[in-house]
Amino acid sequence: MTQLIWIVIFTVIAVANLSVSFRCLAHREREGRMLCYALRWAALVSVSYMLSILTTDQWIMSLSSSVYFASVSGMIFFLMRFFFVLSGEDDRGNTVVCLVRRVFLIWTLVDAVLLLTNPISGVVLTYQPVVPTPEVARWIFIPHRLYDMHLALCYLMLCAGFFALIMRTLRVPWMYRHYYLRIILGVLAMVAINAAYLLQVTYNHIDYSILFYSVMGYWIHWNAFEARDAGLLSQARHTILEHLGQPLFFFDWDDQLILTNESARTLLDDLDAPDHSLTVEEFLHLCGAEDQLPDLGQDRRFYWTARTDSKDSYICDFQLLRDKKHEMVGRFFILTNNTLGVDPLTGFQTQQYFNLHSRELIPEGEEPVGVAVCDLNRLALLNDTMGTEGGDHAIRLQAQAMKKHFPSNTVFVRLQDAVLCALCRGLDSDEIKARLQAVNQDLEAADSFPFRIKMDSAVSITDPDAVVHTAQETVSILRTRKLLDSDSDGSAVIDSLHQLLLECDSETEFHVRRTRELGERLSFLLGLSDYERDQLSLLCLFHDIGKVGIPQEILNRSGKLSQEEQDIMRSHAEKGYRIAKATPELNIVAEAIRHHHERWDGSGYPDGLKREAIPLLSRIIAVVDAYDAMVSDRPYRKGMEMLQACRELIRYAGIQFDPYVVEVFVGMITGGEEVEVSEQVAPEKTTDLAQETIGLVSTVYCARYTLGPKEQILEVDGFFEELTGFTSYDVKQFHLTQSDMIFEEDRELYWTMVEEQRQAQGIVYLEHRIRRKDGTGRYVYCTGLPFTDPATGELRTTVIVSDITDSVSVQMQVGIARNRAMMSLYRLEEANQRDPLTGLLNRSAFRKACERELDRDGQRCLMMMLDVDDFKGYNDTYGHPKGDELLIDLTKTLSDAVGREGLAGRMGGDEFCCLLRLERNASLSQIRRRGEEILRQVNERVGRDGVSVSAGVAWSDPKGSDFQTMYARSDKALYTAKKDGKAQLWGEEQAPLRSVT
């Protein structure tokens, strides 16, 4: 029975060692492999030792003991190798370590040979029976000198492994050390038990250390791999959470605080109290966030200002933690210091933080947001004079002045350098400009600088959803405006270029001044944005900058130029484009400079663009430039009269100029007076095809060669080399084939198409790409004509190749595609601004257009709100299709009544609004008559089946009014009119103007 117990015990130990050895292979390759080998030797130790203590035959016992002792040497050798690899010494390429490893390997092999031959020689140890004879371990061994060498080998290998592991322990941080120390202590415990056996102090002459080999294998494996990885991950998580700069609060499912970090305990000192247990409700009360977080069942974000001396502001993110079954297991609060997004110099929000959190900084609301952007002038000069400290001081003063003059609810952002931005509700553009003027006066009054400093500014009004985009656009407006400011740092380059242009053409200064004035007036009538108006001003200054590259004798010649001289003169557009592209300050108008001599019909230069493919600013400057050139006196001719110049513009509208730009420009020049034109310039009397192909003749290079039966090139003509780069010598020397001139990626498709055409029609006609000798590609039309050589009777193919890479037809296709893309983009933008049913401006587009009108100095406007009386009843009676027809009729009438004098838009449903431009000195009676006339026309058109329209009007103050105010006043007047009855017109003074029924 005792023997059976020992058999079971040692078998379990051997199986456990083998099992752990397989687990080792799943970990790091070298470390796991070395420990695996050590544990497999340990399994052999268990089995061999079991045989040695259970057998009754001395020969079997002696052989089993020899295997047992040799297996111990092998186990300890691989355990030493494992310690070397685990400590990193084996990977360092240390010469001493390599030498020690080789010495111990040789010694182990010699020791194994001596032990395995011991049953025959008896030179290592001998055995004698135990008296009285026990049931197990019937023999004791008598060691000899060579056995002492075996023990020395084992202990030296253990000492070498321990030394490497101890050195590793001393090198790693403290949090890693206990894993290595536990391995060392565990192995030392096994060594102590084995030493007790060797000293014959163990019970029944049994080596009990073998009983713990499987436990020791698992102990080493667990500490070296699983516990270390899991423990380090747990400690890393704890360290990260503890030292994270963001305060963390974790509440369990019972709403009790169970986890915080150092930042949280610093923020709330009483958390360190041992008897303090904070609940979620107490935490929210502490943060004053009961109203911001009424529902604890969903993730939310709220804001909190700490009640400390620092008054730090925090963004608090609340999240629910759920398990796999989606059951709530805890609540988690993480606080982010809001001051991280604050610029330290100004105290403003940083641009990056503003871009990410604009919705939280500027929540939704009905009122639009005013965007004011300002930048210090001559900051570079100030930095050069007083150093960066002086520049920082000026920026700080600018920020303080903005905080002083803007409301407390304003959001301030530092965009870049000295560009500061203020975003606020409840202020119209005029009031914002007044506050910016006050900021400027504070800066000019500062006496701590060697010269007066001032700032440039730009103002926009926008929806809360578009504040980031509008702020960026306003910065672009400001930059362009600074280029035109003589006091600005950026204007130095502009002034230099302008002076250079004046030296080339003495007439330029007055011409530029006049075109800039005309362009500014025209830009308002065309409804250009602030950014576009500033671009146009810059374009007026530098549209002819390319003339600096034209010879003076050509530039100043009064007579007719030769064709060659005309070509040189025309190159000024492209030269100007290159100058503008090379000058960062002019980059924004480079394309407009390049195309300001394009013509509406496509016959201009340099690119032959036509219609809307020509940039809008180029079309505008073309009209303004031509008009000024016609009315200005020259040394060689007298300038035209104003009306005569206008007639010329009208005659060439639709041929050279954009018809709409000409119409608005002529109306501006004549004050709306109609200009009679005796005859219209007509296109040349040619067919449509001829008209489209004029100037499209181009040179096409052709080559001819002959192919043999295996597509080998047999003969080539004199143009073959020019087209392909291959000479006739190359053809013969390299046995050139057709495939050699086709790119590898094109060959499969090429030969497939060739074969299809051969079978279908016998003649091959393809458009494809050929590969030239230098590796470049050319696009060609290729025609293959098969024939039979009468001399040999073999099939040949004559190939004619035409180079179309640079042909005008290809260029036209590219230009057409580009024009179509631009028109598609234009139509898409237009569609996004239009109401899909009526085609009027939608609410957002109408508001923006009105703001541009109301921003103009000296502009007085009438706003009129219109609403169909009882439109719901009409829909219920006649159906929605009839209701849509009614709204379309109303739209047409309203558009005709407003005409070019104003704007019309659909606010939603059956509610419409229009804005009409008025004379600055328009009387109240004139305003009333205009409103009555529009309402009368509308009611006459839609006044069927008992339908009528009521309206309310408001008019702007001569000093200016903002859109939101006028809209509210006219809407209030409309509400009063509808209460008073049908077809009523009420004014903002709350008195009926007239009933139009």
Side-chain angles (χ1 to χ4, degrees):
M1 184 65 183
T2 304
Q3 291 184 349
L4 180 62
I5 293 174
W6 284 110
I7 291 173
V8 171
I9 291 174
F10 282 109
T11 302
V12 169
I13 293 173
V15 171
N17 281 323
L18 291 173
S19 174
V20 177
S21 71
F22 283 112
R23 293 182 63 181
C24 291
L25 293 177
H27 295 282
R28 300 172 183 85
E29 183 179 355
R30 295 189 63 207
E31 295 177 16
R33 194 169 66 247
M34 292 300 115
L35 186 58
C36 170
Y37 295 157
L39 291 173
R40 289 180 181 180
W41 280 107
L44 184 58
V45 168
S46 300
V47 173
S48 60
Y49 186 71
M50 176 185 67
L51 290 175
S52 70
I53 66 172
L54 295 179
T55 186
T56 58
D57 188 281
Q58 184 176 1
W59 167 255
I60 297 177
M61 184 276 301
S62 177
L63 181 61
S64 300
S65 295
S66 295
V67 173
Y68 155 63
F69 287 117
S71 299
V72 169
S73 300
M75 177 189 70
I76 296 176
F77 174 78
F78 282 106
L79 189 62
M80 177 194 70
R81 288 292 312 278
F82 168 72
F83 288 159
F84 282 172
V85 176
L86 186 65
S87 64
E89 295 296 339
D90 207 53
D91 297 328
R92 294 174 181 269
N94 193 313
T95 306
V96 176
V97 173
C98 294
L99 180 62
V100 169
R101 190 174 65 227
R102 290 192 179 97
V103 169
F104 280 131
L105 176 60
I106 295 172
W107 193 350
T108 302
L109 293 175
V110 172
D111 183 64
V113 171
L114 292 174
L115 286 169
L116 293 176
T117 58
N118 183 71
I120 301 173
S121 62
V123 294
V124 180
L125 45 79
T126 55
Y127 302 92
Q128 66 181 23
V130 177
V131 180
T133 304
E135 191 172 352
V136 294
R138 297 180 177 89
W139 311 89
I140 60 174
F141 62 87
I142 309 295
H144 299 303
R145 181 70 63 184
L146 290 178
Y147 180 75
D148 295 336
M149 298 299 293
H150 165 75
L151 290 180
L153 170 65
C154 294
Y155 284 112
L156 285 175
M157 287 193 295
L158 284 174
C159 290
F162 284 159
F163 179 78
L165 208 56
I166 290 171
M167 294 303 295
R168 174 70 173 177
T169 305
L170 296 176
R171 284 197 300 266
V172 299
W174 65 269
M175 62 182 294
Y176 295 85
R177 293 178 183 174
H178 61 281
Y179 299 107
Y180 300 107
L181 290 175
R182 286 196 296 222
I183 293 175
I184 294 172
L185 293 176
V187 175
L188 286 177
M190 294 299 99
V191 172
I193 296 174
N194 182 259
Y197 164 69
L198 295 175
L199 297 173
Q200 300 296 318
V201 295
T202 57
Y203 181 69
N204 285 340
H205 307 288
I206 295 177
D207 186 0
Y208 291 101
S209 63
I210 299 176
L211 300 178
F212 295 95
Y213 279 3
S214 59
V215 176
M216 194 65 240
Y218 179 77
W219 177 257
I220 295 175
H221 171 268
W222 184 75
N223 280 283
F225 301 118
E226 295 182 359
R228 185 178 66 173
D229 292 346
L232 291 179
L233 182 60
S234 175
Q235 290 190 29
R237 288 173 177 168
H238 175 75
T239 303
I240 291 171
L241 289 177
E242 188 66 19
H243 295 91
L244 190 66
Q246 296 172 283
L248 302 174
F249 300 88
F250 179 67
F251 296 84
D252 64 8
W253 63 275
D254 202 24
D255 289 343
Q256 297 295 318
L257 181 66
I258 60 173
L259 176 65
T260 60
N261 63 354
E262 184 179 353
S263 298
R265 293 188 292 273
T266 303
L267 186 63
L268 302 176
D269 296 333
D270 52 351
L271 290 180
D272 288 329
D275 58 342
H276 185 79
S277 179
L278 191 69
T279 64
V280 172
E281 290 76 12
E282 292 171 342
F283 175 75
L284 291 177
H285 177 72
L286 192 64
C287 298
E290 298 97 329
D291 297 334
Q292 298 186 63
L293 198 65
D295 183 11
L296 293 175
Q298 60 180 353
D299 297 348
R300 290 290 297 273
R301 168 175 286 186
F302 61 94
Y303 295 85
W304 173 53
T305 300
R307 298 168 185 171
T308 61
D309 294 338
S310 63
K311 296 292 182 183
D312 288 340
S313 176
Y314 290 90
I315 300 174
C316 307
D317 288 297
F318 166 69
Q319 295 180 357
L320 293 175
L321 299 182
R322 302 182 184 275
D323 59 14
K324 294 181 180 179
K325 296 182 180 180
H326 207 62
E327 295 181 352
M328 195 274 292
V329 296
R331 293 184 170 92
F332 186 65
F333 292 84
I334 180 168
L335 280 62
T336 304
N337 196 326
N338 200 16
T339 57
L340 296 177
V342 175
D343 173 57
L345 180 64
T346 61
F348 288 10
Q349 300 290 342
T350 62
Q351 181 175 5
Q352 182 180 11
Y353 186 85
F354 169 67
N355 292 343
L356 293 174
H357 302 284
S358 59
R359 287 187 174 274
E360 290 86 359
L361 295 172
I362 305 174
E364 295 182 0
E366 295 183 359
E367 291 183 319
V369 179
V371 180
V373 175
C374 54
D375 186 17
L376 283 180
N377 253 333
R378 308 172 77 184
L379 180 63
L381 180 60
L382 185 61
N383 282 331
D384 292 341
T385 306
M386 301 182 62
T388 55
E389 295 81 5
D392 290 347
H393 179 50
I395 295 173
R396 198 178 297 112
L397 286 179
Q398 179 189 6
Q400 292 171 356
M402 291 179 69
K403 290 180 180 179
K404 172 184 175 183
H405 292 288
F406 278 87
S408 58
N409 63 343
T410 302
V411 176
F412 296 102
V413 184
R414 184 181 183 184
L415 298 178
Q416 52 195 346
D417 298 329
V419 181
L420 305 184
C421 178
L423 303 104
C424 52
R425 293 184 187 273
L427 300 180
D428 58 26
S429 59
D430 289 338
E431 189 169 355
I432 293 176
K433 290 175 183 176
R435 292 174 184 264
L436 287 173
Q437 183 62 32
V439 173
N440 217 348
Q441 291 173 358
D442 285 3
L443 288 175
E444 291 180 345
D447 57 0
S448 53
F449 302 101
F451 48 82
R452 283 191 175 185
I453 59 172
K454 67 174 186 176
M455 66 182 192
D456 283 321
S457 59
V459 177
S460 299
I461 306 294
T462 186
D463 290 328
D465 293 338
V467 290
V468 174
H469 173 73
T470 304
Q472 294 170 347
E473 190 177 74
T474 311
V475 171
S476 299
I477 296 172
L478 178 61
R479 285 177 176 171
T480 308
R481 193 165 293 167
K482 283 172 69 68
L483 294 178
L484 301 170
D485 186 351
S486 59
D487 291 333
S488 171
D489 294 331
S491 67
V493 176
I494 299 299
D495 291 341
S496 300
L497 288 174
H498 185 53
Q499 189 62 38
L500 181 62
L501 183 58
L502 293 182
E503 292 177 2
C504 294
D505 187 356
S506 58
E507 296 292 329
T508 298
E509 182 175 5
F510 303 103
H511 171 65
V512 164
R513 188 182 303 166
R514 292 188 299 267
T515 55
R516 187 173 177 182
E517 291 173 357
L518 291 171
E520 186 174 357
R521 289 171 57 194
L522 180 60
S523 65
F524 283 104
L525 296 177
L526 291 173
L528 299 187
S529 65
D530 288 347
Y531 186 41
E532 291 170 324
R533 289 203 300 270
D534 291 334
Q535 279 184 297
L536 183 58
S537 294
L538 204 58
L539 183 61
C540 289
L541 284 174
F542 293 105
H543 62 279
D544 281 334
I545 187 63
K547 289 183 178 180
V548 300
I550 304 299
Q552 289 291 319
E553 60 271 14
I554 297 177
L555 195 62
N556 298 324
R557 182 172 299 174
S558 59
K560 187 177 181 180
L561 300 177
S562 66
Q563 183 60 47
E564 183 180 357
E565 290 171 334
Q566 287 182 18
D567 292 341
I568 294 174
M569 189 66 183
R570 286 187 170 192
S571 68
H572 84 275
E574 210 158 349
K575 291 183 189 316
Y577 168 77
R578 290 199 294 268
I579 292 173
K581 289 297 282 186
T583 309
E585 290 82 0
L586 296 182
N587 228 318
I588 54 176
V589 292
E591 289 293 334
I593 291 174
R594 178 184 180 87
H595 299 298
H596 77 280
H597 277 294
E598 303 285 0
R599 294 169 61 100
W600 185 256
D601 62 1
S603 61
Y605 60 88
D607 296 325
L609 302 183
K610 62 168 56 177
R611 300 177 69 85
E612 286 84 1
I614 307 170
L616 175 60
L617 296 183
S618 299
R619 285 179 267 150
I620 295 173
I621 194 63
V623 174
V624 175
D625 191 28
Y627 173 80
D628 185 73
M630 286 187 287
V631 299
S632 301
D633 293 333
R634 292 287 188 267
Y636 49 87
R637 64 163 174 80
K638 183 74 173 173
M640 294 182 183
E641 296 291 334
M642 178 193 71
L643 288 178
Q644 185 181 358
C646 289
R647 291 190 189 99
E648 289 298 308
L649 290 177
I650 295 173
R651 289 178 64 216
Y652 283 90
I655 298 172
Q656 181 175 352
F657 306 114
D658 184 335
Y660 178 67
V661 175
V662 169
E663 181 182 353
V664 177
F665 181 79
V666 171
M668 179 189 76
I669 295 297
T670 62
E673 180 182 342
E674 188 173 349
V675 179
E676 295 183 1
V677 181
S678 57
E679 59 181 59
Q680 189 76 18
V681 175
E684 296 182 29
K685 304 298 183 179
T686 56
T687 62
D688 291 343
L689 180 61
Q691 181 65 26
E692 287 296 321
T693 57
I694 289 177
L696 300 185
V697 178
S698 61
T699 302
V700 176
Y701 294 98
C702 299
R704 180 177 182 143
Y705 57 94
T706 304
L707 294 178
K710 295 184 178 180
E711 307 300 336
Q712 182 177 348
I713 300 176
L714 303 177
E715 298 177 355
V716 298
D717 66 3
F719 296 101
F720 184 80
E721 181 180 356
E722 185 174 355
L723 182 60
T724 67
F726 292 102
T727 65
S728 56
Y729 175 79
D730 295 332
V731 173
K732 295 178 181 179
Q733 180 71 18
F734 302 114
H735 304 289
L736 202 67
T737 66
Q738 180 72 9
S739 292
D740 294 329
M741 295 194 301
I742 304 298
F743 285 95
E744 186 174 353
E745 61 269 24
D746 297 344
R747 287 175 187 168
E748 183 177 354
L749 178 61
Y750 172 80
W751 288 116
T752 301
M753 295 177 67
V754 166
E755 198 58 36
E756 287 178 356
Q757 293 198 18
R758 276 179 179 168
Q759 294 179 5
Q761 57 197 22
I763 298 176
V764 178
Y765 182 77
L766 294 175
E767 178 184 347
H768 66 93
R769 188 173 57 145
I770 67 167
R771 176 182 175 275
R772 287 170 51 84
K773 182 178 180 179
D774 59 5
T776 60
R778 304 291 290 180
Y779 286 91
V780 298
Y781 282 132
C782 176
T783 305
L785 305 172
F787 69 95
T788 302
D789 188 346
T792 62
E794 293 181 345
L795 185 66
R796 301 278 191 268
T797 303
T798 297
V799 181
I800 301 173
V801 181
S802 305
D803 185 3
I804 62 167
T805 304
D806 299 322
S807 69
V808 175
S809 60
V810 175
Q811 295 177 17
M812 283 183 60
Q813 293 300 320
V814 174
I816 290 170
R818 180 174 59 184
N819 290 344
R820 285 177 178 172
M822 294 179 67
M823 289 302 296
S824 298
L825 180 62
Y826 174 78
R827 293 191 187 100
L828 180 62
E829 292 175 348
E830 183 74 10
N832 290 335
Q833 296 179 352
R834 297 285 175 177
D835 175 63
L837 175 64
T838 64
L840 293 180
L841 294 173
N842 58 31
R843 184 186 186 97
S844 176
F846 178 76
R847 178 184 59 76
K848 292 179 180 178
C850 288
E851 287 172 350
R852 288 196 295 267
E853 291 291 333
L854 295 171
D855 277 345
R856 297 177 182 174
D857 295 335
Q859 181 72 63
R860 197 173 187 196
C861 299
L862 167 70
M863 183 172 286
M864 187 173 186
M865 292 286 296
L866 301 96
D867 186 75
V868 180
D869 298 321
D870 194 22
F871 183 65
K872 183 179 182 302
Y874 184 86
N875 272 336
D876 293 342
T877 305
Y878 299 100
H880 287 282
K882 282 289 186 181
D884 290 345
E885 290 180 10
L886 175 68
L887 295 181
I888 293 172
D889 287 345
L890 189 154
T891 298
K892 292 178 179 177
T893 309
L894 184 61
S895 298
D896 293 341
V898 172
R900 296 188 180 278
E901 299 178 20
L903 307 164
R906 184 184 183 188
M907 300 294 101
D910 59 333
E911 192 172 88
F912 298 82
C913 186
C914 63
L915 185 79
L916 292 93
R917 305 182 190 91
L918 302 171
E919 295 293 334
R920 185 176 180 84
N921 299 322
S923 64
L924 185 59
S925 60
Q926 291 175 324
I927 295 174
R928 289 177 175 175
R929 283 197 299 272
R930 189 71 182 95
E932 292 168 0
E933 177 62 21
I934 292 177
L935 188 60
R936 183 188 62 76
Q937 293 180 31
V938 169
N939 274 295
E940 285 180 356
R941 178 69 177 267
V942 302
R944 58 179 182 269
D945 302 320
V947 175
S948 62
V949 177
S950 294
V953 296
W955 43 88
S956 63
D957 188 81
K959 297 181 180 179
S961 299
D962 65 283
F963 170 81
Q964 194 63 31
T965 302
M966 288 190 65
Y967 183 82
R969 282 156 45 190
S970 59
D971 187 59
K972 186 176 181 181
L974 172 63
Y975 177 76
T976 307
K978 291 182 72 67
K979 285 178 60 178
D980 189 60
K982 294 185 177 182
Q984 296 295 315
L985 176 68
W986 274 65
E988 56 182 323
E989 70 274 17
Q990 299 304 309
L993 301 181
R994 183 182 177 186
S995 174
V996 294
T997 53

